[in-house]
Amino acid sequence: MTEALKSQAPDEDGGSCFSKKNVRSFLSPVNCFNHVVLRPKIGSRIKEVRGRLDDIAEEMNQFKFIMSERVYTEVRQGGMREREIGSLLDPKSIIGREREKNEVIDLLLQEVNEVPYVISIVGMGGMGKTTLAQLTYNDEKVGGHFHKRMWVCVSDDFDVKRVTKSIVESADGSGCEDLDLDTLQRRLSEKLQAQRFLLVLDDIWSEDREKWDKLRLPFQAGALGSRIVITTRSEKVAQAMRSTQIRKLAALSEDECWLLFSGGAFEHRNADERSELEEIGREIVNRCGGLPLAAKTIGCAMWWRRTRREWELVLESEIWNSADILGGILPALLLSYHDLPPALKQCFAYCSIFPKDWEIKKDTIVKLWVAQGFICSKGSQDMVEIGGQNFEDLLRRSLLQDAKLDRDKNIVSCKMHDLVHDLAQSVAGSEFSVAQIGKQASLNFDNVRHSNLFASDEAVNEADEVAYILATLYKAHKLRTLFLDSRISMVPRMSFHHWRRLRALDLSYTSITKLSPTVGHLKHLRFLDLSGTDVEELPEEVCNCLNLQTLRLNDCGELKKLPGGMKKMINLRHLEIENSDDLRYLPQGIGSVTGLWTLTTFIVGGGDEGWKCGELKHLNHLQGSLKITGLDKNRSGDEAREAELNKKQHLHTLSFYYKFEDGELLDEEVKRMEDVLEILRPHTNLKELAIRYYRGSKLPKWIEDPVFSNLVRMTLSSCWECKQLPGFGKLPSLKYLSISYNEVVRKVGVEFSGVDNNDGSGCVVSFPKLETLIFWDMINWGEWELRGGDGEVMPSLLELEIRGCLKLRELPTNLPPLLQKLSLQISNEGMLSSGGTLPVLPSLKHLIISWSDELKSFPCGWLGQFKALKTLEIDNCPELESLPDEEFQQLTLLQELIIFYCPLLRRRYGDGGEDRDKIAQIPSISITG
């Protein structure tokens, strides 16, 4: 495939290597010889591989293997039978879960008009899902509420007939003859007729919604108030079961785990023994990560170890990876692992390459999975999208946890529980190595495919580090992944001759300053991360990595040049160059790499070397975010038109950056700048837009066009000379608007709300969904008229922030009553000079007064009106002498007072201050600075 790519890659003149003008070069004796030798060599290798596949197929027939959607070994089936648990338990043996128990009981007892009402308890193996179900099932209030209670352990064999038969037997309290499914369902329906029932289906694995729909048919006969509780390790299962409520089970607290551990470990021990071992025991409990089954199992195992030294050996040893201590945990986790599809098993095992407690970035791990070939494309769906689904699948199965979300509620990263990490390392085997420099010099790297070398917490001599890295990696001929920890103080100049199989190389944030030209020999390389390094330029040979899919160059402060031959990298999908500000231009021809999905920064370059906007023309697969910098270098509107931004339907975030510079512009320069921005109209799918350092006197008309119905965030920064703000009130979905650094706007009037004339007519609702509005450093802004025609204006506004607008005399009296957070900077020139009051804001909960050098006291009536106020912050008001004591007494809901760098207030109201008692009723007080 790589040899074929070489024939497709454009040459220096932009044509294919097999174009007509290159035929003469191609037919040279050297080229002819190379291709004649290459074809039989590849043909021979293909024949060998096909022979091996034929042998495997023949062996499959000999062993009578059969293809099935799910194949379970006898070992797993045996484990499944051992897993079956009934409804009975000893409540005295349970520690914790009181809050969760009460929550589930409330759900069981509340009145709802839904039959059946399904409650799912979701969590990883060993978390106590079944225990929680048992606690609620056996509660007295629950027992008295339901006419009939049934408990069935389903496990992974979700056979509708078998499960139905078990439910009938549980309802009868006796065995049931072997009947057909229809008869069983009719019998169950009769038993549940007009009965308020509780059914617990424990340990469900199947995601087959059709099976669930068949199973649930008899439950419709039950009375209102009937409940079904399921326990599962996968949120996907809970969704397939059409759950009304999903309760994710969190880890136990350290104290609760300690009680579970000590109940087994210290049974029948005297006080002296307990005192001697408690400190070590608590360290062991810390490693349980809140898993009740882990704490209980390890506690019982520690009972057999009588001396302190025996306990220390457990704490210090590698026994945490061993089944003799974690016998109750690893088999449970292995069930979760064995349930994964084959491709997902590879993805899960690969996570072991990160150290424990590592924050695994979704975007990174998905691209690494793709680089290793773990993700197979499905039709037109991109492999990164499929990998993202795999990531979320592992999260739903509780094999990943602690998900972090961005502001759009998209998953950004997760972590892996230590015990799950142990499992991942176990199934990954010797092909994976997470090695600590200076401590594991004896590791055998002969068969290692994926390696992560990280620094020891102890200081290691730089020369020894380099020697160790070279000696270790020299042996690793089969490496497919190599990560080097950024804490490694010195990275040797690497030669890549020995790593011809390398797929992923991550040297991010190391001290590397130069990349060896031998990187061009890595024909399998698909992922290269040099972010945060001091590399000044990439060698031209990197363009020979024709399979490279992801190239990361973020935060490279010294990077000044990219190789000119990047147009040959026709497999490149993700080019990330955020915050690499010394990079002045990008090489020409990248526009021919039409498969690019990610291009974080596009630099419009001057002269013949740099890019023109036209390079964007054919990059219609671009998605995510794009920042276009250097727009001031755009020579004409025709160049801007060639970019065809209106065809980039997958771009969701777009930023236009101009060069920051002082001085006057010629009228023709201003006109050209305005024309170019008008032409650069994006696709209406855009969600976020930012414009910075724009020198035009007006913004483009399209910026206020209601057809941009997906636009939710807008940022205008340093548009110093824009004389009037656009009618942003027309944008139907805008939620966040920030406007900062403007010198010429003096009034914000009805045009801002999208009202086109002064007679009060216009759009019905202005800013219908705006939640956050920010004005910063509008230095000549003095008047704000808030009017939305004949309808409401900003009905959804929750947060308003105004800073550096020192001439603004007053706020509109008709600010929306739902406003909850207000941040103000006030001055004698502005609000203090007008003598006016703040508008009535009955819902205001958070008030911030900041950076007001002239404020000596609060105007009368400012604070007392905010009856709902819960938090008051006063920042950097050095002249403020006192607080309005009487008004403070009216703020009965005030919970928090924060004062920072207000020396006069600190002296008066701080600890030991003369008026401290006047604010003593506030529960939380912080006075610092």
Side-chain angles (χ1 to χ4, degrees):
M1 289 175 65
T2 304
E3 294 300 326
L5 285 174
K6 289 181 180 178
S7 68
Q8 299 172 26
D11 61 10
E12 288 76 7
D13 299 320
S16 167
C17 293
F18 283 160
S19 60
K20 288 184 178 180
K21 64 181 178 180
N22 287 321
V23 168
R24 182 176 299 174
S25 170
F26 172 70
L27 293 178
S28 68
V30 173
N31 272 332
C32 283
F33 178 77
N34 287 340
H35 283 270
V36 168
V37 171
L38 177 65
R39 292 185 63 182
K41 181 179 178 182
I42 291 181
S44 175
R45 292 177 63 184
I46 292 175
K47 183 176 180 181
E48 177 189 347
V49 171
R50 291 184 61 182
R52 289 164 59 194
L53 291 173
D54 290 340
D55 291 342
I56 292 171
E58 180 61 27
E59 287 188 353
M60 183 183 75
N61 293 330
Q62 291 175 358
F63 283 105
K64 294 182 171 50
F65 290 158
I66 58 172
M67 298 300 294
S68 175
E69 183 181 352
R70 289 177 180 269
V71 180
Y72 299 102
T73 65
E74 289 298 321
V75 173
R76 182 164 186 231
Q77 290 172 352
M80 178 188 71
R81 287 192 291 271
E82 290 178 6
R83 170 66 180 78
E84 186 167 344
I85 298 175
S87 64
L88 298 179
L89 84 165
D90 177 11
K92 296 179 182 178
S93 66
I94 306 303
I95 303 295
R97 301 302 184 207
E98 193 65 28
R99 177 180 59 82
E100 293 89 343
K101 171 190 169 183
N102 291 332
E103 288 177 353
V104 175
I105 289 176
D106 288 341
L107 292 174
L108 292 176
L109 301 183
Q110 69 181 5
E111 293 295 328
V112 290
N113 296 323
E114 184 177 347
V115 178
Y117 186 95
V118 182
I119 303 166
S120 288
I121 302 173
V122 181
M124 64 181 295
M127 189 62 79
K129 303 180 298 295
T130 299
T131 300
L132 178 58
Q134 290 169 327
L135 283 169
T136 55
Y137 186 90
N138 292 288
D139 184 83
E140 290 183 3
K141 290 186 294 184
V142 171
H145 182 74
F146 294 98
H147 303 131
K148 192 175 290 293
R149 289 182 297 162
M150 298 157 287
W151 180 287
V152 173
C153 183
V154 179
S155 202
D156 57 356
D157 183 20
F158 193 56
D159 179 81
V160 175
K161 179 181 175 181
R162 182 189 71 80
V163 175
T164 304
K165 181 173 181 288
S166 298
I167 296 173
V168 172
E169 290 175 343
S170 180
D172 281 343
S174 60
C176 176
E177 63 270 33
D178 192 13
L179 303 171
D180 60 78
L181 177 60
D182 181 70
T183 304
L184 285 169
Q185 289 191 324
R186 289 181 183 278
R187 179 176 293 187
L188 179 58
S189 181
E190 292 171 1
K191 293 183 180 301
L192 300 181
Q193 189 69 41
Q195 299 282 303
R196 188 165 57 236
F197 68 85
L198 169 62
L199 169 63
V200 176
L201 297 176
D202 184 41
D203 195 31
I204 294 184
W205 292 74
S206 175
E207 300 169 2
D208 193 328
R209 179 169 285 191
E210 291 184 2
K211 288 184 177 181
W212 166 241
D213 287 341
K214 289 180 182 178
L215 180 69
R216 65 184 287 163
L217 290 174
F219 304 147
Q220 306 297 328
L224 289 178
S226 296
R227 298 288 189 272
I228 296 176
V229 175
I230 72 170
T231 69
T232 179
R233 295 182 177 134
S234 169
E235 188 176 351
K236 207 170 182 178
V237 171
Q239 293 167 350
M241 301 287 281
R242 306 183 191 277
S243 300
T244 310
Q245 293 284 343
I246 298 178
R247 285 292 181 266
K248 289 188 176 182
L249 213 52
L252 290 181
S253 70
E254 185 176 331
D255 289 339
E256 290 169 337
C257 274
W258 171 250
L259 290 174
L260 279 174
F261 174 88
S262 58
F266 294 124
E267 188 178 8
H268 304 307
R269 292 185 192 260
N270 59 44
D272 290 340
E273 287 181 299
R274 183 184 180 104
S275 176
E276 183 183 17
L277 300 173
E278 182 169 346
E279 181 181 355
I280 304 172
R282 287 192 178 274
E283 292 187 50
I284 293 174
V285 167
N286 285 339
R287 298 194 178 188
C288 293
L291 280 173
L293 187 53
K296 188 173 182 179
T297 303
I298 295 173
C300 292
M302 296 307 293
W303 183 85
W304 298 94
R305 290 160 173 81
R306 312 304 297 181
T307 68
R308 180 182 179 89
R309 182 54 186 159
E310 287 178 312
W311 280 48
E312 289 174 341
L313 288 173
V314 171
L315 185 62
E316 296 168 1
S317 74
E318 295 295 324
I319 204 164
W320 303 98
N321 300 320
S322 172
D324 65 341
I325 283 294
L326 300 181
I329 289 293
L330 282 181
L333 295 179
L334 278 169
L335 282 175
S336 295
Y337 170 74
H338 285 306
D339 189 63
L340 298 175
L344 207 54
K345 288 181 179 178
Q346 289 181 305
C347 295
F348 171 72
Y350 194 85
C351 293
S352 68
I353 198 170
F354 299 106
K356 287 185 177 181
D357 203 37
W358 191 264
E359 187 173 328
I360 302 174
K361 300 293 179 59
K362 177 182 176 181
D363 182 66
T364 298
I365 191 66
V366 166
K367 288 173 181 174
L368 287 168
W369 288 340
V370 172
Q372 298 301 328
F374 297 160
I375 308 297
C376 297
S377 60
K378 298 176 183 177
S380 60
Q381 192 175 14
D382 182 69
M383 287 188 288
V384 170
E385 293 179 354
I386 299 170
Q389 294 168 4
N390 285 3
F391 185 91
E392 293 179 14
D393 199 358
L394 290 175
L395 179 64
R396 281 191 292 267
R397 294 171 184 266
S398 301
L399 292 172
L400 293 175
Q401 62 179 26
D402 297 339
K404 286 189 177 180
L405 308 179
D406 61 14
R407 60 176 174 243
D408 296 322
K409 308 302 181 184
N410 298 313
I411 298 171
V412 176
S413 66
C414 287
K415 288 187 177 182
M416 183 173 272
H417 190 282
D418 283 356
L419 290 175
V420 179
H421 189 275
D422 291 339
L423 172 65
Q425 285 185 318
S426 175
V427 298
S430 60
E431 292 186 356
F432 287 75
S433 170
V434 181
Q436 196 168 25
I437 290 178
K439 286 193 172 184
Q440 294 168 288
S442 60
L443 280 176
N444 183 354
F445 270 72
D446 292 345
N447 293 313
V448 170
R449 291 192 177 194
H450 311 282
S451 180
N452 187 349
L453 293 179
F454 62 98
S456 168
D457 292 333
E458 303 168 1
V460 179
N461 180 274
E462 286 188 5
D464 292 341
E465 270 188 4
V466 174
Y468 175 80
I469 294 172
L470 290 175
T472 300
L473 297 180
Y474 184 82
K475 309 171 191 175
H477 300 291
K478 297 182 179 180
L479 268 186
R480 295 189 177 209
T481 304
L482 175 61
F483 295 167
L484 284 187
D485 185 4
S486 61
R487 293 177 298 171
I488 296 175
S489 57
M490 181 177 177
V491 177
R493 183 171 296 180
M494 293 181 176
S495 175
F496 299 101
H497 288 290
H498 304 289
W499 304 328
R500 298 297 183 93
R501 297 175 174 87
L502 203 62
R503 264 79 168 164
L505 177 61
D506 188 343
L507 303 175
S508 59
Y509 299 96
T510 62
S511 58
I512 187 172
T513 58
K514 189 173 183 180
L515 193 65
S516 170
T518 57
V519 71
H521 294 295
L522 304 178
K523 66 180 180 182
H524 292 295
L525 191 67
R526 289 166 168 81
F527 180 96
L528 176 60
D529 193 347
L530 299 171
S531 298
T533 63
D534 292 330
V535 171
E536 293 187 12
E537 62 179 283
L538 298 185
E540 196 67 33
E541 287 80 0
V542 78
C543 300
N544 295 331
C545 301
L546 298 183
N547 285 304
L548 193 65
Q549 299 166 345
T550 299
L551 177 58
R552 286 183 166 175
L553 300 165
N554 303 316
D555 303 317
C556 292
E558 303 298 322
L559 184 65
K560 295 176 176 59
K561 183 179 179 183
L562 294 181
M566 290 187 71
K567 60 187 175 183
K568 295 191 298 182
M569 304 172 73
I570 56 179
N571 264 329
L572 194 63
R573 294 291 178 268
H574 310 283
L575 177 57
E576 302 175 23
I577 42 179
E578 290 184 274
N579 303 319
S580 298
D581 297 332
D582 273 10
L583 189 62
R584 297 303 179 193
Y585 66 90
L586 301 177
Q588 291 184 352
I590 197 70
S592 61
V593 187
T594 56
L596 267 178
W597 282 67
T598 304
L599 178 62
T600 56
T601 303
F602 182 95
I603 305 172
V604 180
D608 297 329
E609 293 181 306
W611 282 6
K612 299 178 182 179
C613 279
E615 292 276 5
L616 288 169
K617 180 174 184 178
H618 299 296
L619 302 182
N620 289 331
H621 292 297
L622 288 180
Q623 60 181 352
S625 63
L626 171 64
K627 180 171 75 172
I628 303 178
T629 69
L631 274 171
D632 45 285
K633 298 177 183 176
N634 199 87
R635 296 170 181 170
S636 68
D638 290 337
E639 284 186 12
R641 190 171 287 107
E642 289 182 12
E644 296 186 353
L645 286 185
N646 61 325
K647 294 183 179 180
K648 311 295 186 282
Q649 59 179 318
H650 304 295
L651 274 181
H652 290 157
T653 302
L654 185 61
S655 302
F656 294 122
Y657 274 65
Y658 293 79
K659 183 180 179 182
F660 175 74
E661 57 184 356
D662 295 323
E664 295 290 329
L665 294 180
L666 298 176
D667 289 344
E668 56 266 28
E669 292 178 310
V670 173
K671 181 66 167 57
R672 185 187 69 201
M673 191 175 291
E674 293 172 350
D675 291 344
V676 165
L677 194 55
E678 188 70 55
I679 290 169
L680 289 175
R681 178 188 176 105
H683 194 277
T684 55
N685 284 349
L686 197 69
K687 294 182 178 179
E688 300 183 26
L689 175 66
I691 301 176
R692 301 181 191 274
Y693 307 118
Y694 173 66
R695 299 287 300 278
S697 61
K698 62 180 180 179
L699 287 160
K701 295 178 181 178
W702 56 259
I703 205 172
E704 61 180 38
D705 193 336
V707 73
F708 285 91
S709 58
N710 296 297
L711 196 64
V712 294
R713 291 180 67 89
M714 175 77 70
T715 301
L716 300 180
S717 178
S718 300
C719 299
W720 293 106
E721 298 165 31
C722 286
K723 297 177 181 178
Q724 181 174 293
L725 298 182
F728 288 130
K730 299 177 183 179
L731 298 174
S733 301
L734 192 66
K735 292 185 177 181
Y736 175 96
L737 175 60
S738 174
I739 302 172
S740 58
Y741 305 108
N742 181 283
E743 292 181 342
V744 295
V745 169
R746 286 174 166 77
K747 178 180 178 179
V748 175
V750 292
E751 74 289 339
F752 179 59
S753 300
V755 179
D756 297 324
N757 48 57
N758 294 324
D759 62 4
S761 63
C763 56
V764 175
V765 180
S766 296
F767 297 101
K769 294 187 178 180
L770 189 67
E771 296 176 355
T772 302
L773 177 59
I774 299 173
F775 292 105
W776 271 33
D777 291 292
M778 306 275 287
I779 59 178
N780 286 305
W781 177 31
E783 184 179 351
W784 184 9
E785 180 183 359
L786 189 62
R787 185 152 57 91
D790 58 357
E792 291 182 283
V793 57
M794 301 183 187
S796 304
L797 191 67
L798 299 176
E799 180 177 353
L800 173 62
E801 182 174 339
I802 301 176
R803 297 190 183 185
C805 307
L806 301 182
K807 292 185 179 181
L808 182 63
R809 291 185 292 275
E810 60 182 357
L811 298 180
T813 58
N814 60 331
L815 280 176
L818 291 179
L819 191 70
Q820 295 184 9
K821 184 176 181 179
L822 176 61
S823 180
L824 288 176
Q825 180 180 358
I826 54 183
S827 69
N828 286 330
E829 189 178 2
M831 291 187 189
L832 294 178
S833 66
S834 66
T837 61
L838 293 179
V840 176
L841 300 171
S843 300
L844 195 70
K845 293 181 173 61
H846 195 157
L847 176 62
I848 303 173
I849 305 295
S850 61
W851 296 98
S852 299
D853 294 338
E854 301 157 334
L855 180 65
K856 294 186 177 182
S857 63
F858 284 101
C860 182
W862 267 39
L863 292 182
Q865 62 171 312
F866 300 129
K867 307 299 184 183
L869 198 66
K870 292 186 176 180
T871 302
L872 174 62
E873 292 188 45
I874 306 172
D875 299 340
N876 286 276
C877 298
E879 299 300 317
L880 187 59
E881 299 173 349
S882 65
L883 300 173
D885 299 330
E886 293 184 4
E887 293 184 38
F888 253 73
Q889 301 306 315
Q890 301 174 32
L891 304 179
T892 57
L893 298 181
L894 192 63
Q895 299 292 310
E896 186 175 22
L897 174 63
I898 300 171
I899 299 175
F900 176 75
Y901 196 68
C902 302
L904 302 181
L905 291 184
R906 182 178 182 182
R907 189 178 308 121
R908 188 166 181 174
Y909 296 95
D911 290 334
E914 58 182 301
D915 289 335
R916 177 71 177 196
D917 60 319
K918 294 181 179 180
I919 60 172
Q921 77 279 5
I922 302 173
S924 176
I925 299 173
S926 174
I927 303 178
T928 57

